[in-house]
DNA sequence: TTAATCTCTATCGAACCGGTAGAGTATGCC
DNA sequence: GGCATACTCTACCGGTTCGATAGAGATTAA
């Protein structure tokens, strides 16, 4: 299960990727995506610290993506918000931790099975960019048709 | 991340599958697999309620598998102990819950990406039985060679 | 100067996690 | 019968995480 926070983060980043001006205020995103505003503030700040988004303060302020949506993957966002993308700590690449109950890691059947789960999951999450998963919203389709 | 509890459950079931007599006492499993005994009690009781194992009380008591190891999958154990095998509640088959923040589920990009993660994960976990992942331990290899 | 915006730190209740405690009950064996 | 060895059941507990909420502060445009 991914956290609510991670889901909000993904939605927010996608909203930025979709926006015409490339910039949106927190309250705009919060409203559009049904995310509690104060919670979203924290999330975006976190994404900013990790170089995913940039911010501008003041009256015409807001958030924008730092890189193109093609370069941002689901895996990247998830690791920032939820931590390791691994079903077991002993399978994490960024936060490996030995299991206290395993005498021999190489001999652990559980680990072997979950290693393939991890591999499959990573293939998808690190292989899917924000833009790849994006598709226009109804409103936007409307404006495209009109334009 | 799967819980420690689920990992213990899998290890315990595998220990039973591996055992010669087909039956083991809680304390035996706890010792062999480095699992806190009182915690393991709860786990096995839970597995018993779900028809995975059966118990016998008293002096010659212990736990045994209810079905053959070929019929028990990783997914089955995980669902009992950790709940749904799904990255999002809106993708769970056994415990579906609508997301409060989604106006249209069919239009949710996050959901679409994680649907494929769920599919890949289930393919592995529901396709791998306890016996399939099993392999003899050193001790057992020794006794096989000796016998 | 004012209004809108991001920034930062603190706090909070509820749930979950990983376990521990202990009294109770069944069974086998002498 | 009595005892040792199991499983059974309920309760509890400290710590952490989750999903927020609160509010004061800093920055900027107009």
């Amino acid at each position: 299960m991914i956290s609510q926070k991670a889901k909000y983060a993904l939605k927010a980043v996608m909203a930025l990727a979709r926006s015409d001006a490339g910039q949106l205020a927190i309250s705009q995103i919060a409203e559009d995506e049904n995310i509690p505003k104060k919670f979203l503030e924290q999330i975006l700040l976190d994404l900013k610290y990790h170089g995913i988004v940039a911010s501008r303060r003041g009256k015409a302020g807001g958030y924008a993506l730092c890189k193109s949506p093609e370069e941002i993957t689901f895996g990247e966002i998830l690791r920032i918000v939820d931590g390791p993308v691994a079903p077991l700590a002993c399978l994490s690449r960024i936060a490996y931790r030995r299991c206290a109950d395993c005498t021999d890691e190489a001999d652990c059947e559980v680990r072997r099975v979950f290693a393939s789960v991890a591999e499959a999951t990573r293939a998808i999450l690190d292989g899917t960019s924000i833009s790849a998963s994006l598709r226009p919203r109804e409103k936007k389709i409307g404006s495209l048709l009109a334009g």
Side-chain angles (χ1 to χ4, degrees), chain A:
Chain A
M1 286 277 202
I2 72 165
S3 69
Q4 192 67 11
K5 196 172 172 183
K7 198 178 152 204
Y8 287 159
L10 288 167
K11 283 195 159 188
V13 170
M14 289 173 138
L16 289 175
R18 233 179 359 240
S19 81
D20 297 315
Q23 187 190 311
L24 290 171
I26 293 177
S27 32
Q28 189 66 55
I29 302 174
E31 195 176 332
D32 292 354
E33 306 293 334
N34 293 307
I35 304 173
K37 188 189 160 191
K38 295 297 278 182
F39 197 21
L40 182 56
E41 283 183 9
Q42 291 177 48
I43 295 167
L44 286 171
L45 218 42
D46 203 8
L47 293 179
K48 181 186 161 188
Y49 294 149
H50 286 87
I52 305 293
V53 296
S55 65
R56 232 178 102 188
R57 303 218 267 196
K59 192 152 187 178
Y63 275 92
L65 295 183
C66 267
K67 339 187 218 179
S68 77
E70 290 81 25
E71 295 176 90
I72 306 173
T73 66
F74 271 61
E76 194 174 359
I77 304 294
L78 277 178
R79 286 191 186 87
I80 290 171
V81 177
D82 273 1
V85 174
L88 290 170
C90 66
L91 282 169
S92 170
R93 288 187 291 210
I94 60 167
Y96 170 84
R97 272 191 47 208
R98 196 181 157 279
C99 300
D101 52 300
C102 279
T103 45
D104 183 6
E105 201 169 77
D107 205 49
C108 178
E109 293 97 345
V110 177
R111 188 173 193 268
R112 247 181 307 132
V113 173
F114 281 97
S116 65
V117 172
E119 198 177 348
T121 304
R122 283 178 185 143
I124 297 170
L125 296 179
D126 293 335
T128 308
S129 73
I130 295 301
S131 67
S133 74
L134 222 58
R135 68 179 186 195
R137 292 230 156 155
E138 283 179 24
K139 275 185 185 172
K140 212 163 176 188
I141 291 175
S143 68
L144 283 173
L145 291 175

